[in-house]
């Protein structure tokens, strides 16, 4: 037992010396290629075994012949180990260089193409993560381009819509100033109407900017959909009568919801005004609500004749307006964008689809527990 402990001690001391030298070498070469580090690791393993063997051999006074045999065996093992380490190092270095090249191309053109050659699991995982990041960046760039296009269209449409009432106000004010107005009271009424239209447009822009900036502060309270729809119908009744449109919403059940009453009233008002303006005289605009599983669906159905299928995905985009609606008093195309922003702020979503004779806007809101 004592001899075995001595052998273990001598072997440990010899191997520890080789390991210490290897640690120093790895620290000095830490900025070099990984192939060099792998070679050092293999050399340390073989050197530790050789140092331990030589220490034990000297302590046990082995013959020169036996020591030569042991040394030869260890040397052959060292050659094979170093060769294997170099081969592995070259493969890892090649995979790293291919990944670096792919990452460089990714930075230049924004598209990541994973190397086709097999790579170690860690590098393959890194490659997959870079590919997923590339896909997310591509989707983000697409959204940015769509948003930029929407902003440009919005600026163009707002500029047009602002110029029209401003030109009218200027002409009417000059006519009043020069005493050329045959009916000043009528001019005053028209000027007031144009000012109200401008004020509504500015209010919509301010609301939309709050939504996009994430500054929309909600104060949700528990209320009944029946009351919410009733208030919105009362507010749109005058416009519906002027347009000759029937409003139907008396059958809405008193389903409970937790929403900001002021903001959701604005949502319903925008939908009702939009539906009334696009529904012909003697048409009907219907409001309905139902409970589906853990959500409440509120819908507004009009008789506009339907929306072209290619336009349905863009209905809620900022500044979007169908081609027949690009003249006053259609507005600046902000109402439906505000609808979507407010509904999404309530953790819901807005949707639209065609129905026979018109289209239906659906607002899906979480049902209270």
């Amino acid at each position: 037992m004592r001899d075995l402990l001595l052998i273990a001690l001598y072997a440990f001391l010899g191997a520890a010396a080789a390991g210490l030298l290897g640690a120093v070498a790895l620290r000095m070469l830490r900025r070099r290629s990984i192939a060099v580090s792998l070679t050092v690791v293999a050399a340390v393993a073989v050197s530790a075994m050789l140092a331990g063997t030589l220490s034990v051999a000297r302590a046990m006074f082995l013959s020169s012949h036996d020591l030569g045999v042991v040394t030869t065996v260890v040397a052959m093992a060292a050659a094979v180990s170093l060769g294997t380490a170099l081969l592995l190092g070259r493969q890892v270095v090649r995979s790293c260089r291919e990944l670096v090249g792919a990452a460089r191309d990714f930075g230049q053109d924004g598209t990541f193409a994973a190397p086709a050659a097999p790579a170690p699991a860690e590098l393959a995982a890194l490659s997959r993560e870079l590919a997923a990041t590339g896909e997310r960046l591509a989707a983000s760039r697409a959204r940015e381009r769509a948003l930029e296009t929407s902003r440009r269209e919005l600026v163009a449409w707002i500029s047009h819509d602002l110029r029209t009432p401003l030109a009218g106000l200027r002409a009417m004010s000059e006519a009043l100033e020069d005493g050329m107005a045959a009916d000043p009271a009528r001019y005053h009424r028209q000027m007031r109407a144009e000012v109200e239209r401008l004020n509504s447009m500015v209010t919509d822009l301010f609301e939309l900017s709050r939504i996009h900036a994430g500054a929309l502060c909600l104060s949700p309270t528990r209320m009944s959909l029946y009351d919410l729809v009733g208030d919105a119908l009362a507010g749109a009744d005058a416009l519906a009568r002027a347009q000759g449109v029937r409003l139907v919403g008396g059958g809405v059940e008193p389903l409970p919801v937790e929403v900001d009453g002021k903001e959701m009233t604005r949502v319903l008002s925008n939908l009702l005004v939009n539906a009334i303006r696009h529904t012909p005289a003697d048409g009907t605009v219907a409001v309905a609500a139902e409970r589906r599983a853990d959500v409440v669906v509120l819908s507004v159905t009009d008789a506009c004749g339907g929306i072209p299928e290619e336009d349905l995905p863009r209905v809620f985009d900022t500044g979007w307006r169908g081609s027949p609606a690009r003249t006053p008093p259609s507005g600046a195309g902000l109402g439906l964008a505000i609808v979507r922003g407010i509904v999404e702020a309530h953790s819901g979503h807005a949707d639209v689809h065609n129905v026979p004779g018109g289209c239906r806007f659906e607002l899906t809101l979480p049902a209270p527990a």
Side-chain angles (χ1 to χ4, degrees), residues 23 35-36 41 59 89 104 113 129 138 141 173 178 220 253 323 342:
V36 176
V41 170
R104 185 183 301 111
E129 188 61 32
R141 286 193 297 270
S173 63
D178 296 338
E253 298 181 3
S323 55
I342 294 176

Side-chain angles (χ1 to χ4, degrees), residues 168-178 187 191:
L169 287 171
R170 180 177 181 179
M172 286 184 285
S173 63
E174 289 177 351
L176 289 171
E177 184 179 3
D178 296 338
Y187 274 61
M191 292 175 70

